Amino acid sequence: MDSIIPYGKQLIDEDDIEAVVKVLRSDFLTTGPLCREFEEKLAQKVGAKHAVVFSSGTAALHAAYFAAGLEPGQQVITTPITFAATANAALYLGGVPVFADIAPDSFNIDVTKIESAITAKTKIIAPVDMAGIPVDIDPIMQLAEKYNLVVVEDACHALGATYKGRPVGSTAHMSVFSFHPVKAITTGEGGAVVTSNPDYYERLVLFRSHGIVKSPDKLMHKHKGPWYQEMQLLGYNYRMTDIQCALGMSQLKKLDAFVHRRREIAAQYTLAFQDNNAIEIPAYSADVNPAWHLYIIRLKEDLDRDRVCYYLRERGIGTQVHYIPVYRHPYYSYLGYNPEEYPNAEAYYRSCLSIPIFPALTNSEIEKVINVINRIN
Ligand SMILES: *Cc1c(COP(=O)(O)O)cnc(C)c1O
């Protein structure tokens, strides 16, 4: 049987492999010089002052909510159409995820629904750049200003995207990226928070490594000797290894080329599907230039998604549903969330299907995907 084209996958070249092997022969496998270097390059790339790398995007979200000062019982407003981690990270800190529905013609949170969800307990707004299409962040930043909230953008899909000409990563208080193999660039597992706020930066760094402080000028107790260090807050071991950072730096050099190829593929799909009445293609504002982490089609009402999914699979085309709305997971149902409160997310969930898009996709594979999808009925 022919292999199935996945919806996404990494692209690793010989120079990536060489970069990793070089670290394996060096003195530092972790907590060496490469993480600082990777952080500086990443921050520069996205137009932020600081980047802090973590062992995963999920760890990075956890740290960002911590740095924002989320206290037990406080609320995080986010979208139900995201990976569960966006909401889970609030639960880790005793926080409460509050879902605001998506807009009807979009994959992203409805900004007007955010304002009506704000209460005295709200601390964070965590919008997601679903599929790599940047959320309309300016009005969200205005809401944050008005109600004194922190905006943590889950930009795990959007490394390389721009909003009104500005890079994603430069527009929120903190933005979170993931380097999982299906994402824009990979470190195997990994993630980062970028910010231009020095206080958040300091808390992120502490949280990543047990809350332990070493630099003499930051110690709370009297300095005892060069060996002395103290734990000032409850942190974790969320560090990224130098092995991963070397891969990340090598991959980061290719980010522009990767995103360029994703945009080419998206443009081909959009052109090929615009007259197809069985599906809807992604809509987005002229203000943004998406990074196209995913290419999500929506099937018209009378098409059964499972049947289409099997139909494509039998013809060698892998698909995925991004995402099961977070409130629908059994764990969240148990917490009391009710699907009826999110009609747009429900309609989206019934019809969405992610089709293959990744830099290594070949022209003949793209042609095959287009031909098969244009025969769906
Ligand atoms: C991938 C992803 C995460 C989590 O990242 P990991 O690196 O897998 O922990 C969080 N949010 C979104 C939207 C993601 O796509």
Side-chain angles (χ1 to χ4, degrees):
M1 201 187 103
D2 282 352
S3 62
I4 292 184
I5 307 169
Y7 80 84
K9 78 170 195 198
Q10 75 277 13
L11 177 51
I12 299 287
D13 290 323
E14 278 309 312
D15 57 337
D16 296 310
I17 294 167
E18 272 165 35
V20 169
V21 170
K22 201 170 151 206
V23 183
L24 292 174
R25 298 188 199 281
S26 79
D27 287 340
F28 292 98
L29 299 187
T30 191
T31 329
L34 280 178
C35 285
R36 284 310 298 271
E37 229 177 299
F38 181 36
E39 287 173 341
E40 277 164 22
K41 297 230 155 72
L42 180 67
Q44 201 177 15
K45 186 81 201 164
V46 302
K49 285 214 178 80
H50 309 283
V52 183
V53 293
F54 288 88
S55 52
S56 71
T58 303
L61 277 165
H62 186 184
Y65 293 172
F66 171 82
L70 185 68
E71 300 278 350
Q74 289 186 323
Q75 297 168 342
V76 177
I77 299 175
T78 189
T79 166
I81 301 300
T82 184
F83 184 53
T86 320
N88 292 350
L91 296 178
Y92 297 161
L93 291 159
V96 180
V98 172
F99 299 109
D101 203 359
I102 60 169
D105 55 348
S106 159
F107 304 152
N108 283 335
I109 197 164
D110 183 340
V111 177
T112 63
K113 297 248 169 66
I114 295 176
E115 185 158 24
S116 47
I118 292 172
T119 70
K121 288 186 174 166
T122 308
K123 180 71 188 179
I124 293 170
I125 307 173
V128 176
D129 305 309
M130 186 61 195
I133 300 173
V135 71
D136 191 9
I137 197 91
D138 278 352
I140 296 176
M141 295 307 288
Q142 283 158 16
L143 281 179
E145 176 94 9
K146 183 171 164 190
Y147 295 96
N148 194 26
L149 306 174
V150 183
V151 178
V152 176
E153 178 183 20
D154 182 338
C156 287
H157 294 186
L159 182 60
T162 60
Y163 172 83
K164 297 184 180 171
R166 293 175 272 156
V168 165
S170 68
T171 58
H173 296 125
M174 288 180 264
S175 301
V176 176
F177 297 111
S178 163
F179 309 125
H180 178 276
V182 295
K183 305 290 165 70
I185 61 169
T186 190
T187 59
E189 297 282 358
V193 183
V194 297
T195 184
S196 291
N197 178 311
D199 299 326
Y200 295 152
Y201 173 66
E202 204 167 307
R203 282 169 66 79
L204 291 165
V205 171
L206 275 182
F207 192 74
R208 175 174 62 183
S209 204
H210 311 282
I212 288 178
V213 175
K214 290 177 186 163
S215 57
D217 54 319
K218 302 241 165 73
L219 296 174
M220 296 168 91
H221 292 167
K222 268 207 180 344
H223 177 232
K224 306 252 174 35
W227 48 268
Y228 183 73
Q229 44 183 280
E230 60 190 22
M231 182 188 136
Q232 295 182 353
L233 55 82
L234 184 61
Y236 290 73
N237 176 356
Y238 274 167
R239 294 187 298 267
M240 188 187 261
T241 65
D242 280 44
I243 306 166
Q244 292 166 300
C245 289
L247 180 54
M249 270 203 297
S250 179
Q251 288 263 298
L252 189 61
K253 289 183 198 149
K254 304 167 193 178
L255 175 65
D256 291 345
F258 285 171
V259 173
H260 178 76
R261 179 61 179 157
R262 286 177 180 275
R263 285 177 179 152
E264 270 179 4
I265 298 167
Q268 288 188 52
Y269 283 162
T270 296
L271 189 66
F273 300 145
Q274 61 190 358
D275 297 324
N276 183 330
N277 294 322
I279 63 178
E280 260 175 48
I281 53 181
Y284 59 96
S285 139
D287 282 343
V288 304
N289 195 358
W292 296 109
H293 165 57
L294 300 170
Y295 194 92
I296 303 171
I297 57 172
R298 291 188 61 173
L299 305 173
K300 288 289 163 61
E301 289 273 312
D302 54 341
L303 277 177
D304 181 77
R305 201 235 328 266
D306 290 344
R307 188 177 64 78
V308 171
C309 180
Y310 281 118
Y311 177 90
L312 296 177
R313 200 180 170 78
E314 278 160 16
R315 284 154 188 81
I317 296 165
T319 57
Q320 185 53 279
V321 170
H322 295 99
Y323 291 96
I324 298 165
V326 178
Y327 54 74
R328 275 188 165 264
H329 286 292
Y331 187 85
Y332 279 86
S333 301
Y334 173 75
L335 293 178
Y337 294 91
N338 178 4
E340 284 172 19
E341 290 174 36
Y342 318 100
N344 295 334
E346 287 291 289
Y348 168 85
Y349 173 51
R350 278 193 297 276
S351 65
C352 68
L353 199 60
S354 303
I355 65 172
I357 188 165
F358 51 90
L361 200 60
T362 65
N363 287 336
S364 67
E365 286 172 326
I366 296 167
E367 213 170 295
K368 175 173 169 178
V369 172
I370 288 173
N371 288 336
V372 174
I373 288 181
N374 275 339
R375 271 183 269 122
I376 297 173
N377 55 53

